[in-house]
Amino acid sequence: DAGVTQSPTHLIKTRGQHVTLRCSPISGHKSVSWYQQVLGQGPQFIFQYYEKEERGRGNFPDRFSARQFPNYSSELNVNALLLGDSALYLCASSPGSSLSYEQYFGPGTRLTVT
Amino acid sequence: GDSVTQMEGPVTLSEEAFLTINCTYTATGYPSLFWYVQYPGEGLQLLLKATKADDKGSNKGFEATYRKETTSFHLEKGSVQVSDSAVYFCALSEGAQKLVFGQGTRLTINP
């Protein structure tokens, strides 16, 4: 079975632009979470979606938004990009919303803002 | 709020050496504790976990014991291999939807 897939792999954007990152969960998984990993730091939680509803939100500005589609794939959108948004964005999927389920992480999308 | 502190890296060892990576946490309740590993170019993989005090998580020769009295979850391995070279993250969750990660420890094993 395919693991969690993310696209694109790498992305370069300019300050002020908008970006959309995509995630396809493992087949059968209904929960998707997004994390931001700045170079040299641990991942920080951005959002969790389960059955197309937002179940959790981290301490990120409203420029960050996400949604989950009926096929359980997800998009993370970031508006008005700042230099500080440069990071590896990780998507994780799991069968349910509780962390009693193992989270499976994708390889990430490397975003560079110039 | 909840937080995780790991020993600073990078850590460099010779093959077959004993490994310890320290992890301590701060939480208001009784969190579950995790160790994740990130190999170059790959996503995070769950290495082991423990859900209550005195539980020992183990996998692939790695072990960690949930110590409530010292709020610690140190990762150990008796004999490391070159293939263990990676970045290791300690994390916690208090039943909410999010994992809280430490800053990561880069481990390099020389043959």
Side-chain angles (χ1 to χ4, degrees):
Chain A
D1 279 344
V4 177
T5 59
Q6 294 186 243
S7 62
T9 305
H10 296 88
L11 202 52
I12 299 174
K13 290 287 190 178
T14 304
R15 275 177 298 176
Q17 286 188 319
H18 162 271
V19 69
T20 297
L21 310 181
R22 295 178 175 84
C23 172
S24 292
I26 291 172
S27 177
H29 285 192
K30 299 181 179 180
S31 175
V32 169
S33 297
W34 288 96
Y35 289 79
Q36 180 196 63
Q37 186 179 8
V38 173
L39 194 62
Q41 296 181 20
Q44 287 205 314
F45 174 76
I46 310 175
F47 287 110
Q48 189 207 36
Y49 276 77
Y50 176 70
E51 291 278 20
K52 302 184 290 295
E53 291 189 3
E54 182 182 304
R55 289 298 186 95
R57 183 182 184 119
N59 188 24
F60 280 81
D62 291 344
R63 299 185 295 108
F64 288 76
S65 64
R67 56 180 175 167
Q68 187 177 33
F69 298 99
N71 66 354
Y72 303 111
S73 66
S74 178
E75 285 183 352
L76 175 70
N77 295 283
V78 187
N79 291 325
L81 285 167
L82 303 174
L83 294 179
D85 295 331
S86 296
L88 180 68
Y89 288 85
L90 297 168
C91 173
S93 79
S94 66
S97 62
S98 165
L99 281 170
S100 61
Y101 295 100
E102 180 175 341
Q103 296 209 26
Y104 294 81
F105 283 82
T109 292
R110 172 76 61 189
L111 173 64
T112 301
V113 182
T114 62
Chain B
D2 297 347
S3 66
V4 175
T5 302
Q6 293 180 230
M7 65 184 288
E8 293 205 12
V11 174
T12 302
L13 296 172
S14 298
E15 206 166 20
E16 299 183 1
F18 184 85
L19 168 71
T20 300
I21 301 178
N22 290 337
C23 170
T24 58
Y25 67 90
T26 302
T28 52
Y30 302 95
S32 295
L33 301 174
F34 306 82
W35 276 100
Y36 280 83
V37 58
Q38 188 173 34
Y39 298 102
E42 298 184 17
L44 296 169
Q45 299 175 24
L46 178 63
L47 182 59
L48 53 84
K49 69 178 182 181
T51 57
K52 60 182 187 297
D54 300 325
D55 268 3
K56 177 185 283 188
S58 62
N59 186 26
K60 298 181 181 179
F62 291 90
E63 292 183 342
T65 301
Y66 190 138
R67 301 287 187 199
K68 180 170 171 288
E69 63 276 12
T70 54
T71 62
S72 65
F73 193 54
H74 304 322
L75 182 68
E76 297 182 335
K77 187 175 185 183
S79 176
V80 293
Q81 307 300 314
V82 172
S83 58
D84 294 327
S85 298
V87 181
Y88 292 80
F89 293 92
C90 185
L92 68 79
S93 169
E94 287 203 81
Q97 285 71 33
K98 67 176 184 179
L99 289 162
V100 176
F101 287 89
Q103 74 271 31
T105 302
R106 181 173 298 278
L107 173 67
T108 301
I109 308 299
N110 294 320

